[in-house]
Amino acid sequence: MKTTIAILFLVLMSTATHAQHGHQNHNALKAEDVKHSHSLYHLDAEWTDHRGEKITLSRFSGEPVIVVMFYGNCTEVCPILIQDAWRLYSSVSEDVRAVVNVMAVTFDPENDTPSVLKQYAEYEQLDIPGWHFVTAEPAEIRELAMLLGVQFSQKSDGHFSHSNLVTVLDGEGKNARRVEGLGRDMKHAAEWINEHFKQEIN
């Protein structure tokens, strides 16, 4: 009897674990390959950040940019993705960090208005200098996602399937480092930023 109960318990635990993993991975789309020689600074899209400020990517010319795409109604995966961007940002040496920019770009411009993004940034305690939670027209969001290799699609329930990707752009706006997945090691990406921008600020 005890053996039967133990086997049943193990089966239930295995099923629950599988369901958890399946739920976490169900919405993940693999990022596509991109050409690292293409600069994103040629894009003329105008983004509105959570402070209501209008910005373009070319504004960050000469400085490193960490880009992550997410949406505010995502309560499981996206907060981890945003924290991954934070881990990369905070892993950069303090002197270089002063010139690092972060763009968190919504997939969901209909719901993620600048005021909603401001609430999101404040909730995540990331309403700090250098961080921009941004929105734009759907076509501009789609174009940026394509150039980053981020795939996304909206489902019937309003949520999104999407790639989980943190990208580092170099001073010319080119894809320099990409970290795909959740909770990944950010050491190498941080080292790359330190190596390529420490000399520029000294």
Side-chain angles (χ1 to χ4, degrees):
M1 180 69 176
K2 289 183 179 180
T3 302
T4 303
I5 293 174
I7 291 173
L8 180 60
F9 176 77
L10 289 172
V11 169
L12 290 172
M13 287 296 292
S14 175
T15 302
T17 301
H18 178 75
Q20 286 180 345
H21 287 305
H23 185 69
Q24 289 178 354
N25 296 325
H26 177 69
N27 294 326
L29 298 175
K30 183 173 175 56
E32 296 181 327
D33 292 333
V34 295
K35 292 186 178 180
H36 296 274
S37 60
H38 288 181
S39 172
L40 275 63
Y41 288 164
H42 74 278
L43 298 177
D44 57 5
E46 188 174 67
W47 305 85
T48 304
D49 74 5
H50 66 285
R51 302 177 184 92
E53 183 179 356
K54 301 290 186 181
I55 58 177
T56 59
L57 273 171
S58 59
R59 161 181 170 172
F60 304 123
S61 179
E63 300 174 342
V65 183
I66 298 168
V67 185
V68 59
M69 300 192 75
F70 80 111
Y71 67 104
N73 285 330
C74 174
T75 59
E76 295 183 357
V77 171
C78 292
I80 299 173
L81 198 54
I82 294 296
Q83 287 303 309
D84 285 346
W86 164 254
R87 284 193 302 108
L88 173 54
Y89 174 82
S90 59
S91 295
V92 174
S93 64
E94 190 172 350
D95 52 348
V96 175
R97 198 182 312 151
V99 299
V100 175
N101 307 281
V102 181
M103 276 189 64
V105 183
T106 181
F107 295 120
D108 189 9
E110 181 178 352
N111 293 303
D112 289 340
T113 62
S115 61
V116 169
L117 291 173
K118 183 171 178 58
Q119 292 175 5
Y120 189 95
E122 290 172 347
Y123 178 81
E124 294 290 340
Q125 299 182 354
L126 291 172
D127 184 14
I128 58 178
W131 279 68
H132 305 272
F133 289 80
V134 304
T135 185
E137 294 297 321
E140 294 168 336
I141 292 170
R142 178 68 65 180
E143 182 180 29
L144 178 64
M146 180 185 68
L147 292 171
L148 292 172
V150 173
Q151 297 193 72
F152 72 94
S153 62
Q154 190 167 19
K155 300 185 295 182
S156 59
D157 62 2
H159 287 279
F160 290 80
S161 299
H162 59 86
S163 306
N164 299 317
L165 188 69
V166 177
T167 301
V168 177
L169 303 181
D170 65 14
E172 297 179 349
K174 298 175 182 177
N175 287 278
R177 287 289 183 275
R178 303 202 311 166
V179 182
E180 185 173 4
L182 298 174
R184 303 296 188 188
D185 187 354
M186 295 294 173
K187 178 182 176 181
H188 296 299
E191 287 177 346
W192 186 92
I193 295 173
N194 284 333
E195 178 184 347
H196 286 78
F197 289 93
K198 184 175 281 289
Q199 292 181 348
E200 295 187 18
I201 64 173
N202 290 335

